[in-house]
Amino acid sequence: MGLRSKFKKYKLHKNLPIETYVPSNKVKPEMMLEVVTAWAGLELIIEDILKRFNIGRDSCIEFGVEFGYSSVVFSNYFKKVTGVDIFMGDEHTDHKGDHYEKTKASLSQYTNIELYKSDYKDWIKKDNTQYDFSHVDIVHNYKETYECGLWAAQHSKCTIFHDTESFPEVRRAVIDIAKAAGKNVYNYPYHNGLGIIV
Ligand SMILES: C[S@@+](CC[C@H](N)C(=O)[O-])C[C@H]1O[C@@H](n2cnc3c(N)ncnc32)[C@H](O)[C@@H]1O
């Protein structure tokens, strides 16, 4: 890491502090999908998080599936994974354009993953289910992360958020959501950062 990015990171951590999550164990899940993604590396700490906070293994909801890397990671641990995405990409993704059929085809062998082509805004209006676990990795703006993430924190025991190191707006939203939900917040500062609200 260069001096400039070290300083940027220092400022981010100073201005928006979050207690660091230190995993006790790193475990590679049995089933993994071979796709290029900024999420890679985080699969090693999911089991540790589930054990640490005693999270149930029935249901997981994910907002922001893209090509399915994180969905497949979760499919190792939960009976059912619900994946919600517009499957169009957004201002922060490299890939733009409809990728629903492509993702659906490559996830077809993971029968415990159900994909829905939907905006989180429509989804959260109609779903009152309580999930064991949730993941938010949509467009990395404050407003969308806060709105989707607050719903997720209120509808699951534990919510994780990707990109708390690479997008200060995500980090800010995570801190505010934890406050609003009256929950604890941790941050794992690797692989672009993972916020954990529990
Ligand atoms: C960074 S990618 C997700 C990466 C994925 N979690 C992985 O493991 O590689 C972000 C995804 O969020 C989706 N997205 C953006 N805005 C959304 C919204 N309002 N509702 C649902 N999905 C959205 C995009 O279509 C894109 O596929």
Side-chain angles (χ1 to χ4, degrees):
M1 197 188 284
L3 250 181
R4 217 196 171 101
S5 35
K6 264 193 184 156
F7 182 66
K8 252 178 115 176
K9 209 153 236 218
Y10 165 79
K11 287 262 288 190
L12 181 72
H13 291 186
K14 190 167 181 281
N15 294 339
L16 297 169
I18 310 182
E19 185 177 337
T20 300
Y21 183 81
V22 183
S24 326
N25 252 316
K26 290 190 181 171
V27 181
K28 191 173 175 191
E30 214 175 288
M31 296 176 295
M32 301 258 301
L33 198 64
E34 297 260 330
V35 287
V36 176
T37 167
W39 217 85
L42 292 171
E43 67 279 356
L44 299 176
I45 68 159
I46 300 306
E47 188 165 327
D48 192 80
I49 293 171
L50 300 180
K51 282 191 176 152
R52 171 93 48 104
F53 300 117
N54 200 18
I55 307 301
R57 304 294 179 103
D58 284 333
S59 57
C60 165
I61 185 162
E62 165 168 88
F63 295 97
V65 174
E66 201 175 36
F67 299 117
Y69 187 89
S70 48
S71 316
V72 171
V73 170
F74 301 136
S75 76
N76 286 271
Y77 302 114
F78 297 96
K79 281 190 195 137
K80 190 176 162 197
V81 176
T82 303
V84 179
D85 196 308
I86 48 175
F87 292 105
M88 293 299 292
D90 59 60
E91 63 193 90
H92 300 130
T93 55
D94 290 336
H95 180 89
K96 325 269 183 207
D98 197 330
H99 53 278
Y100 176 63
E101 291 302 333
K102 184 184 158 127
T103 304
K104 205 172 124 187
S106 62
L107 297 193
S108 60
Q109 60 175 299
Y110 304 97
T111 52
N112 59 340
I113 302 177
E114 271 179 22
L115 297 181
Y116 295 89
K117 191 173 183 3
S118 165
D119 196 301
Y120 81 85
K121 290 185 182 119
D122 302 318
W123 186 274
I124 66 176
K125 277 188 213 147
K126 62 174 175 109
D127 188 3
N128 292 316
T129 313
Q130 282 293 329
Y131 296 86
D132 289 310
F133 191 77
S134 54
H135 173 224
V136 176
D137 190 13
I138 53 169
V139 64
H140 296 315
N141 296 328
Y142 180 91
K143 185 181 175 292
E144 285 87 345
T145 304
Y146 185 86
E147 192 174 45
C148 181
L150 183 60
W151 181 91
Q154 290 167 337
H155 290 79
S156 66
K157 185 169 174 187
C158 179
T159 310
I160 59 172
F161 298 77
H162 190 218
D163 281 313
T164 48
E165 294 291 322
S166 38
F167 285 85
E169 291 308 288
V170 170
R171 193 180 181 97
R172 198 186 303 279
V174 167
I175 293 170
D176 291 351
I177 292 163
K179 234 182 247 164
K183 293 189 170 190
N184 296 317
V185 59
Y186 305 90
N187 183 58
Y188 182 64
Y190 303 101
H191 314 297
N192 301 301
L194 193 75
I196 303 161
I197 292 183
V198 62

